[in-house]
Amino acid sequence: MAQISIAEIYSGEKYDVMSAAMAEYLKDGRPSECDERTWVDMLLVKHALIAAEKMRQEGDTISGMTDDVSSSSL
């Protein structure tokens, strides 16, 4: 169980949402009905949700959260 910053989730070794999204984009491309920026944004959301589930399973939390919602429930 660890406290992880948003930056570490986005580009750190353990979760690396950005690299996962870009790898999928480069591997599979994008649907013709979707513009590039929108598709990349959708992949980032997809991989952020995957990271949130992995964080929940491993008991990790986001450091610096200021609201009353538990970061592990993301």
Side-chain angles (χ1 to χ4, degrees):
M1 182 156 123
Q3 286 220 332
I4 300 169
S5 72
I6 298 292
E8 289 173 309
I9 294 167
Y10 189 70
S11 61
E13 269 185 47
K14 189 171 184 177
Y15 295 105
D16 205 358
V17 168
M18 182 62 157
S19 289
M22 293 312 295
E24 183 173 340
Y25 180 80
L26 293 173
K27 183 179 124 230
D28 299 334
R30 66 174 168 84
S32 59
E33 67 272 5
C34 206
D35 67 83
E36 182 177 33
R37 183 68 209 165
T38 299
W39 191 247
V40 169
D41 287 345
M42 291 172 65
L43 290 173
L44 288 170
V45 169
K46 172 187 174 182
H47 287 282
L49 291 170
I50 291 168
E53 177 59 21
K54 186 176 176 184
M55 288 179 69
R56 186 191 64 78
Q57 291 172 354
E58 296 186 14
D60 292 339
T61 57
I62 299 172
S63 62
M65 292 295 288
T66 57
D67 58 5
D68 293 329
V69 177
S70 168
S71 58
S72 62
S73 67
L74 296 175

